[in-house]
């Protein structure tokens, strides 16, 4: 199993806890990522939203791509998996900038391609927000242009959303960045199976994840591509006793009234096609992170990780709070690397 962590670009992951002692700052991001390398983490996922989805839209949120460029220069081994939303980035200009960041990192850049869901954010920034199927059609074209510029000396393209004419991207990436993407609709899965390298999922119990992996593996085989990688988001709580872990779980999920981080709850539900209805309590942690139940003693968590690994999962994308302290604990007690 590879272990990644979500960079806390929003100042944390808990919608019910105002201050998690991990500010949205470059200083914290740098210190956390450098320490993560030292204690055995393989990857960091840097989410891209201009508005703060966790603490409320008015709260600070770090920019993903300038943060990634800075981290590329001050880290050595960790994979930088950076979210990118096609409607916020012209593909030809993005290909040029991302190739440079990959060179700075020595070939450690990866993309997490996200077909945007937050309509209000796009409106505030004056950008096009497509309906569901059009979002994936845009992403298909966007990936075609980016790949074309990374692989050909000159690249021309004419589509519904984008056009290039003998465009040049030089220098090219040190190596082609891995392309991760997620989605639960048929349209999303078809696009990912055809054009991406890895499928990333919201948190779910192991039986549900096993079915999703089997489905995507079959789609990938039908598309004629190489085997994919599979990742999943999860929120982790490790304690010396099960009772301690449950007390922490109760603390972070106790919702007496809806805090600022719940402001876009209804919009998020309407903008995605989830397979099950989310409960308000579950929304206290993003990306269905509590469903994998990585909550308990080190022995219990190691057993659950082994179950996911047996189901075909390659990568865990972990959220914790406060991130620096809990990542140390998880590395020492579950990963055995700190």
């Amino acid at each position: 199993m590879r272990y990644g962590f979500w960079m806390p670009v929003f100042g944390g992951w808990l919608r019910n806890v105002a201050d998690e002692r991990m500010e949205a700052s470059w200083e914290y991001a740098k210190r956390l990522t450098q320490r993560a390398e030292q204690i055995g983490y393989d990857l960091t996922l840097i989410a891209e939203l201009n508005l703060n989805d966790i603490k409320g839209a008015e709260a600070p949120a770090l920019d993903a791509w300038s943060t990634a460029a800075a981290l590329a220069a001050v880290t050595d081994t960790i994979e930088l998996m950076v979210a990118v939303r096609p409607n916020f980035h012209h593909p030809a200009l993005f290909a040029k900038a991302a190739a440079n960041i990959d060179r700075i990192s020595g070939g450690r850049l990866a993309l997490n391609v996200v077909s945007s869901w937050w309509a209000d954010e796009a409106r505030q920034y004056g950008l096009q927000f497509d309906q569901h199927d059009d979002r994936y059609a845009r992403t298909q074209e966007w990936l075609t242009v980016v790949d074309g510029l990374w692989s050909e000396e000159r690249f021309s393209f004419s589509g519904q959303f984008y056009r290039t004419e003998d465009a040049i991207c030089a220098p090219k990436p040190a190596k082609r960045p891995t392309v991760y993407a997620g989605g639960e609709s048929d349209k999303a899965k078809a696009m990912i199976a055809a054009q991406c390298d890895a499928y990333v999922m919201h948190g779910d119990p192991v039986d549900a994840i096993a079915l999703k992996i089997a489905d995507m593996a079959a789609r990938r085989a039908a598309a004629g591509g190489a085997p994919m990688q599979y990742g999943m988001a999860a929120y982790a709580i490790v304690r010396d006793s099960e009772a301690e872990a449950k007390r922490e779980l109760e603390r972070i999920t106790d919702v007496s009234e809806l805090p600022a981080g719940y402001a876009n709850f209804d919009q998020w539900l309407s903008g995605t096609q989830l397979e099950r209805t989310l409960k308000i309590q579950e929304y206290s942690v993003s990306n269905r992170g509590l469903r994998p139940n990585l909550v308990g003693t080190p022995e219990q968590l190691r057993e659950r990780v082994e179950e996911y690994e047996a189901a075909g999962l390659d990568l865990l994308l972990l959220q914790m709070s406060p991130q620096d302290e809990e990542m140390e604990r998880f590395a020492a007690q579950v990963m055995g690397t700190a």
Side-chain angles (χ1 to χ4, degrees), residues 14-17 52-57 252-268 279-285:
L14 304 178
R15 292 187 170 95
N16 306 330
V17 180
N52 194 318
D53 174 43
I54 304 298
K55 302 301 183 183
I252 69 172
T253 56
D254 180 30
V255 183
S256 56
E257 57 184 50
L258 295 185
Y262 285 77
N264 65 330
F265 179 66
D266 290 336
Q267 185 182 151
W268 188 75
K279 299 176 183 177
I280 287 181
Q281 185 186 49
E282 188 177 47
Y283 195 66
S284 62
V285 170

Side-chain angles (χ1 to χ4, degrees), residues 6 181-184 199-204 208-213 216 229-234 287-288 312-315 317:
W6 290 67
E184 298 185 349
Y199 183 54
V200 289
M201 295 163 278
H202 292 307
D204 258 323
I209 292 297
L211 290 174
K212 290 180 180 182
I213 290 174
M216 285 302 294
Q229 302 173 51
Y230 299 97
M232 181 188 71
N287 301 95
R288 302 205 301 248
L313 195 70
D314 306 299
L315 171 66
L317 296 163

